[in-house]
Amino acid sequence: MGLFDDIGKVQAAGGSRYLTPGNYTCEVQALKVIESQKRRGQQFFVAELAVVDCDNGEFGPGECASWVVNMDHQSALSNIKGFAMALDTDSSDSSITPQVMEELVSSDNPAAGIKVRGFLYNVKTKAGKDFTKANWSAFA
């Protein structure tokens, strides 16, 4: 058995930090769906972003960051839809379809280079822990 025999069965590891509370302007690098390496079958929507500007001092211009949505959560699709609508100033609630989302996460990477604005803030979960919520809007 060779050292790299199973490399075709795994996903390349990512490495950017999660966005923290603050106001952001970001440029999309890639949108994708990945499977958890810890829990088989659990999927995440991932927006890989380059920070253009932020007011919280934790990210400088050009730094990479990720916005990750656990697809198991009830609010996942509505949160992702809000992000998708921010990608296009002409979009509407009804224009974000399954086909549009499949294209956005495809290897063609059509959202790369699009700028979005994000307002991220913490809310308390039922368990009393902080959860960072995001409101996305188009960059005009």
Side-chain angles (χ1 to χ4, degrees), residues 2-138:
L3 184 61
F4 300 107
D5 286 349
D6 290 333
I7 201 161
K9 299 176 187 175
V10 299
Q11 227 171 274
S16 63
R17 298 183 295 156
Y18 295 145
L19 293 173
T20 55
N23 291 290
Y24 292 85
T25 300
C26 295
E27 182 177 294
V28 175
Q29 303 298 295
L31 302 177
K32 58 188 174 181
V33 174
I34 63 169
E35 184 174 327
S36 171
Q37 292 183 8
K38 292 181 183 177
R39 294 162 76 184
R40 290 277 186 227
Q42 184 178 19
Q43 294 186 313
F44 296 91
F45 172 86
V46 179
E48 294 178 349
L49 307 165
V51 174
V52 175
D53 187 40
C54 120
D55 67 358
N56 70 7
E58 292 188 37
F59 292 89
E63 284 191 65
C64 294
S66 296
W67 180 63
V68 179
V69 179
N70 183 337
M71 297 301 292
D72 287 347
H73 291 172
Q74 185 177 7
S75 60
L77 292 178
S78 61
N79 290 331
I80 294 166
K81 189 175 211 177
F83 182 85
M85 289 176 64
L87 296 171
D88 181 0
T89 57
D90 294 329
S91 69
S92 66
D93 198 53
S94 62
S95 68
I96 306 301
T97 64
Q99 294 79 16
V100 166
M101 290 308 305
E102 290 294 337
E103 177 63 22
L104 286 173
V105 299
S106 73
S107 60
D108 293 342
N109 201 19
I114 297 175
K115 290 182 182 172
V116 293
R117 293 191 190 278
F119 170 61
L120 284 80
Y121 57 97
N122 282 339
V123 295
K124 293 288 183 192
T125 65
K126 290 179 184 176
K129 296 183 178 186
D130 282 337
F131 172 77
T132 305
K133 177 120 176 81
N135 290 334
W136 297 101
S137 59

